[in-house]
Amino acid sequence: MQVYLETERLVLRRLNTDDADNPVALDSDPEVMRYLNGGMPTPREVVQSRVLPGFLQSYERCPGFGAWAAIEKASGNFLGWLSLRPPEGGAPDNVSLGYRLRRAAWGQGYATEGVRTLIHRAFTELGVRRVFATTYEHNLASRRVMEKAGLTLVRRFRLTPAELAETDTFEGAGLDVWEGDDVEYALLKSDWLRQQTNQGSRTGTSTWIE
């Protein structure tokens, strides 16, 4: 198992070619996919031909970045995946956060725990100056994760039909499933450092705790 990092309750490891069953099961839950494509499952053939190969290629495209399986330490169960990677063709100092967890793991702070640790690595080890994340505006749970991790709303936008067609999660979804916009949250390294200093001042120490 190639471990990328650990948190108090999670191990983030590289995905591999034997992992197809995990994202297939994850994307088969209509509630998991609700704000991604209206609740449609991702077909196994799409996972095997596009989604999983994309995850594996992310490790080679830009060392230090990628998408990782989130494994619960206590049980060894696959909870989902988290990612930290530059947009296609983008510079590695402006990177996108992503996360998708099984419904059984919702509401327990796993996403926030993992995202905070990825942000810490991004700003302290990977030379990143800005991290950002996007979601559908009505996905309040996802927005709360971003806010708890220190990101703030920077813009609202709407994907064009051409952009929708280029994404795996929107495959087969019509524009009529959306009644609102997408939102982007972001965090600059300078603001993150200020947050850490303020947090340290309140607790009597300036040490960041993973």
Side-chain angles (χ1 to χ4, degrees), residues 172-200:
L175 290 175
D176 57 345
V177 303
W178 308 118
E179 298 177 352
D181 296 329
D182 286 283
V183 290
E184 178 179 331
Y185 282 69
L187 177 63
L188 295 173
K189 181 178 180 178
S190 57
D191 292 331
W192 178 79
L193 289 170
R194 191 177 303 111
Q195 291 173 3
Q196 304 312 300
T197 299
N198 291 340
Q199 182 182 27

Short mmCIF file of all heavy atoms in Angstrom, two decimals, residues 172-200:
data_model
loop_
_atom_site.label_atom_id
_atom_site.label_comp_id
_atom_site.label_asym_id
_atom_site.label_seq_id
_atom_site.Cartn_x
_atom_site.Cartn_y
_atom_site.Cartn_z
N GLY A 172 -24.23 11.96 -19.36
CA GLY A 172 -25.62 11.52 -19.41
C GLY A 172 -26.58 12.43 -18.68
O GLY A 172 -27.78 12.23 -18.72
N ALA A 173 -26.08 13.47 -18.02
CA ALA A 173 -26.96 14.37 -17.29
C ALA A 173 -27.39 15.53 -18.17
O ALA A 173 -26.58 16.11 -18.88
CB ALA A 173 -26.26 14.91 -16.04
N GLY A 174 -28.65 15.86 -18.12
CA GLY A 174 -29.14 17.00 -18.88
C GLY A 174 -29.07 18.27 -18.07
O GLY A 174 -29.06 18.24 -16.84
N LEU A 175 -29.02 19.40 -18.76
CA LEU A 175 -28.96 20.68 -18.06
C LEU A 175 -30.21 20.94 -17.23
O LEU A 175 -30.19 21.76 -16.32
CB LEU A 175 -28.77 21.81 -19.08
CG LEU A 175 -27.40 21.87 -19.76
CD1 LEU A 175 -27.40 22.97 -20.83
CD2 LEU A 175 -26.30 22.11 -18.76
N ASP A 176 -31.31 20.23 -17.55
CA ASP A 176 -32.55 20.49 -16.84
C ASP A 176 -32.51 20.00 -15.39
O ASP A 176 -33.44 20.28 -14.62
CB ASP A 176 -33.73 19.86 -17.57
CG ASP A 176 -33.56 18.36 -17.78
OD1 ASP A 176 -32.44 17.87 -17.62
OD2 ASP A 176 -34.56 17.71 -18.10
N VAL A 177 -31.46 19.26 -14.99
CA VAL A 177 -31.38 18.82 -13.59
C VAL A 177 -30.89 19.95 -12.69
O VAL A 177 -30.98 19.84 -11.48
CB VAL A 177 -30.45 17.59 -13.42
CG1 VAL A 177 -30.91 16.46 -14.30
CG2 VAL A 177 -28.99 17.94 -13.70
N TRP A 178 -30.39 21.03 -13.25
CA TRP A 178 -29.81 22.10 -12.46
C TRP A 178 -30.74 23.30 -12.37
O TRP A 178 -31.27 23.77 -13.36
CB TRP A 178 -28.46 22.53 -13.05
CG TRP A 178 -27.54 21.38 -13.26
CD1 TRP A 178 -27.03 20.93 -14.44
CD2 TRP A 178 -27.05 20.48 -12.26
NE1 TRP A 178 -26.26 19.82 -14.23
CE2 TRP A 178 -26.25 19.53 -12.91
CE3 TRP A 178 -27.22 20.41 -10.88
CZ2 TRP A 178 -25.61 18.50 -12.22
CZ3 TRP A 178 -26.58 19.38 -10.20
CH2 TRP A 178 -25.79 18.45 -10.86
N GLU A 179 -30.92 23.77 -11.17
CA GLU A 179 -31.75 24.95 -10.94
C GLU A 179 -30.93 26.10 -10.37
O GLU A 179 -31.49 27.10 -9.94
CB GLU A 179 -32.88 24.60 -9.97
CG GLU A 179 -33.82 23.53 -10.50
CD GLU A 179 -34.88 23.14 -9.51
OE1 GLU A 179 -34.78 23.60 -8.34
OE2 GLU A 179 -35.80 22.40 -9.87
N GLY A 180 -29.64 25.97 -10.36
CA GLY A 180 -28.80 27.02 -9.81
C GLY A 180 -27.42 26.98 -10.43
O GLY A 180 -27.19 26.33 -11.45
N ASP A 181 -26.50 27.67 -9.80
CA ASP A 181 -25.14 27.80 -10.30
C ASP A 181 -24.19 26.91 -9.52
O ASP A 181 -24.53 26.35 -8.48
CB ASP A 181 -24.67 29.26 -10.18
CG ASP A 181 -25.49 30.21 -11.03
OD1 ASP A 181 -25.97 29.78 -12.09
OD2 ASP A 181 -25.66 31.37 -10.62
N ASP A 182 -22.98 26.83 -10.04
CA ASP A 182 -21.87 26.26 -9.28
C ASP A 182 -21.18 27.39 -8.53
O ASP A 182 -21.31 28.57 -8.88
CB ASP A 182 -20.90 25.56 -10.21
CG ASP A 182 -21.45 24.24 -10.72
OD1 ASP A 182 -21.42 23.27 -9.95
OD2 ASP A 182 -21.91 24.18 -11.88
N VAL A 183 -20.43 27.03 -7.50
CA VAL A 183 -19.71 28.02 -6.71
C VAL A 183 -18.26 27.58 -6.57
O VAL A 183 -17.95 26.39 -6.54
CB VAL A 183 -20.33 28.22 -5.30
CG1 VAL A 183 -21.68 28.91 -5.42
CG2 VAL A 183 -20.47 26.89 -4.57
N GLU A 184 -17.37 28.56 -6.50
CA GLU A 184 -15.96 28.29 -6.27
C GLU A 184 -15.53 28.94 -4.96
O GLU A 184 -15.81 30.12 -4.72
CB GLU A 184 -15.11 28.84 -7.42
CG GLU A 184 -13.60 28.62 -7.21
CD GLU A 184 -12.76 29.15 -8.36
OE1 GLU A 184 -13.27 29.16 -9.50
OE2 GLU A 184 -11.61 29.54 -8.11
N TYR A 185 -14.85 28.15 -4.15
CA TYR A 185 -14.24 28.63 -2.91
C TYR A 185 -12.73 28.56 -3.07
O TYR A 185 -12.22 27.68 -3.79
CB TYR A 185 -14.66 27.76 -1.73
CG TYR A 185 -16.05 28.03 -1.20
CD1 TYR A 185 -17.18 27.69 -1.94
CD2 TYR A 185 -16.25 28.61 0.05
CE1 TYR A 185 -18.47 27.93 -1.45
CE2 TYR A 185 -17.53 28.85 0.55
CZ TYR A 185 -18.62 28.51 -0.21
OH TYR A 185 -19.88 28.75 0.27
N ALA A 186 -12.00 29.44 -2.40
CA ALA A 186 -10.55 29.44 -2.55
C ALA A 186 -9.87 29.92 -1.27
O ALA A 186 -10.48 30.55 -0.40
CB ALA A 186 -10.13 30.32 -3.73
N LEU A 187 -8.59 29.59 -1.19
CA LEU A 187 -7.77 29.98 -0.04
C LEU A 187 -6.35 30.25 -0.52
O LEU A 187 -5.74 29.39 -1.15
CB LEU A 187 -7.76 28.88 1.03
CG LEU A 187 -6.89 29.09 2.27
CD1 LEU A 187 -7.36 30.32 3.06
CD2 LEU A 187 -6.90 27.85 3.15
N LEU A 188 -5.83 31.44 -0.25
CA LEU A 188 -4.45 31.79 -0.56
C LEU A 188 -3.53 31.36 0.57
O LEU A 188 -3.94 31.34 1.74
CB LEU A 188 -4.30 33.29 -0.78
CG LEU A 188 -5.05 33.90 -1.97
CD1 LEU A 188 -4.93 35.42 -1.93
CD2 LEU A 188 -4.49 33.36 -3.28
N LYS A 189 -2.30 31.06 0.22
CA LYS A 189 -1.34 30.66 1.25
C LYS A 189 -1.18 31.74 2.31
O LYS A 189 -1.11 31.44 3.51
CB LYS A 189 0.02 30.34 0.61
CG LYS A 189 1.07 29.89 1.64
CD LYS A 189 2.39 29.54 0.98
CE LYS A 189 3.41 29.09 2.04
NZ LYS A 189 4.71 28.68 1.42
N SER A 190 -1.13 32.99 1.89
CA SER A 190 -0.96 34.09 2.85
C SER A 190 -2.12 34.13 3.85
O SER A 190 -1.92 34.37 5.04
CB SER A 190 -0.86 35.42 2.11
OG SER A 190 -1.99 35.64 1.29
N ASP A 191 -3.34 33.88 3.37
CA ASP A 191 -4.49 33.86 4.26
C ASP A 191 -4.47 32.63 5.16
O ASP A 191 -4.85 32.71 6.34
CB ASP A 191 -5.79 33.88 3.45
CG ASP A 191 -6.00 35.19 2.72
OD1 ASP A 191 -5.52 36.23 3.22
OD2 ASP A 191 -6.62 35.19 1.65
N TRP A 192 -4.01 31.50 4.62
CA TRP A 192 -3.90 30.28 5.44
C TRP A 192 -2.89 30.49 6.57
O TRP A 192 -3.15 30.11 7.72
CB TRP A 192 -3.49 29.11 4.56
CG TRP A 192 -3.31 27.82 5.31
CD1 TRP A 192 -4.28 26.96 5.73
CD2 TRP A 192 -2.06 27.24 5.74
NE1 TRP A 192 -3.73 25.89 6.37
CE2 TRP A 192 -2.38 26.03 6.39
CE3 TRP A 192 -0.74 27.63 5.61
CZ2 TRP A 192 -1.38 25.21 6.93
CZ3 TRP A 192 0.25 26.81 6.16
CH2 TRP A 192 -0.08 25.62 6.81
N LEU A 193 -1.75 31.10 6.27
CA LEU A 193 -0.75 31.36 7.30
C LEU A 193 -1.31 32.28 8.38
O LEU A 193 -1.05 32.09 9.57
CB LEU A 193 0.50 31.98 6.67
CG LEU A 193 1.35 31.04 5.81
CD1 LEU A 193 2.42 31.83 5.06
CD2 LEU A 193 1.98 29.95 6.65
N ARG A 194 -2.10 33.26 7.96
CA ARG A 194 -2.72 34.16 8.92
C ARG A 194 -3.71 33.40 9.79
O ARG A 194 -3.78 33.63 11.01
CB ARG A 194 -3.43 35.29 8.17
CG ARG A 194 -3.90 36.44 9.06
CD ARG A 194 -4.52 37.56 8.23
NE ARG A 194 -3.56 38.05 7.23
CZ ARG A 194 -3.69 37.89 5.92
NH1 ARG A 194 -4.74 37.25 5.43
NH2 ARG A 194 -2.79 38.36 5.09
N GLN A 195 -4.45 32.48 9.20
CA GLN A 195 -5.39 31.68 9.98
C GLN A 195 -4.66 30.83 11.02
O GLN A 195 -5.12 30.71 12.16
CB GLN A 195 -6.19 30.76 9.05
CG GLN A 195 -7.18 31.48 8.15
CD GLN A 195 -7.82 30.53 7.14
OE1 GLN A 195 -7.56 29.32 7.15
NE2 GLN A 195 -8.66 31.06 6.27
N GLN A 196 -3.53 30.24 10.61
CA GLN A 196 -2.77 29.41 11.54
C GLN A 196 -2.23 30.24 12.70
O GLN A 196 -2.23 29.81 13.85
CB GLN A 196 -1.62 28.71 10.81
CG GLN A 196 -2.05 27.86 9.62
CD GLN A 196 -3.21 26.94 9.93
OE1 GLN A 196 -3.10 26.08 10.80
NE2 GLN A 196 -4.31 27.13 9.22
N THR A 197 -1.77 31.45 12.39
CA THR A 197 -1.25 32.33 13.42
C THR A 197 -2.36 32.73 14.40
O THR A 197 -2.19 32.70 15.62
CB THR A 197 -0.64 33.60 12.80
OG1 THR A 197 0.45 33.22 11.96
CG2 THR A 197 -0.14 34.54 13.88
N ASN A 198 -3.53 33.06 13.85
CA ASN A 198 -4.66 33.45 14.71
C ASN A 198 -5.12 32.28 15.56
O ASN A 198 -5.44 32.45 16.74
CB ASN A 198 -5.81 33.97 13.85
CG ASN A 198 -5.49 35.29 13.18
OD1 ASN A 198 -4.59 36.00 13.61
ND2 ASN A 198 -6.22 35.62 12.13
N GLN A 199 -5.13 31.10 14.98
CA GLN A 199 -5.53 29.92 15.72
C GLN A 199 -4.54 29.64 16.84
O GLN A 199 -4.91 29.32 17.96
CB GLN A 199 -5.63 28.70 14.80
CG GLN A 199 -6.09 27.43 15.50
CD GLN A 199 -6.13 26.24 14.55
OE1 GLN A 199 -5.41 26.19 13.57
NE2 GLN A 199 -6.96 25.27 14.87
N GLY A 200 -3.26 29.81 16.53
CA GLY A 200 -2.23 29.60 17.54
C GLY A 200 -2.34 30.60 18.66
O GLY A 200 -2.13 30.28 19.84
#
